[in-house]
Amino acid sequence: ARTQKILGFSGELMVLNFEREKLISNGMKHLAEKVRHVSEEDGDGAGYDILSFEVDGTEKYIEVKTTTSGETTPFIITKNEVLFSKLYSSNYYLYRVYNFDKRNSSGKLFIIKGDISQSLDMKPQQYVVKGIIKSEKNNIE
């Protein structure tokens, strides 16, 4: 879990730099200075990792998913991230970082815009038990 957290953080830093450089190269240094690492500054759980901007100033909510393997490697996405992508589909971006090289903090990426439930083949992996509807009691001695 710790290794995955470090990998995720490294991928987020790569995307932060990518976004800032893109804005600066388009003459938008003032916007580049406003790019925020939301998951680090405000805590994980916002539904996205990075707040960035289009060159016209429109906000971009970016979720970053990083793996060291190829682009089709499965990755985990939370229910909150899926719901956020639906609510803010016109401003939501999934940056899929793959073939990430930890030694030089580089990798390849592709971008999916909008409601990710329409673009990804997802399979539920966990359920939360909130209560018991019916059970049979058995005493084991």
Side-chain angles (χ1 to χ4, degrees), residues 23 28 30-31 52-60 91:
L23 288 166
M28 298 295 164
H30 66 287
L31 289 177
S52 187
F53 302 90
E54 299 285 1
V55 292
D56 68 0
T58 304
E59 289 185 342
K60 291 172 67 174
N91 300 77

Side-chain angles (χ1 to χ4, degrees), residues 32-58:
E33 292 169 352
K34 294 180 181 181
V35 173
R36 294 184 57 235
H37 196 173
V38 173
S39 61
E40 283 299 307
E41 295 173 28
D42 301 340
D44 210 11
Y48 64 101
D49 298 314
I50 296 168
L51 172 65
S52 187
F53 302 90
E54 299 285 1
V55 292
D56 68 0
T58 304

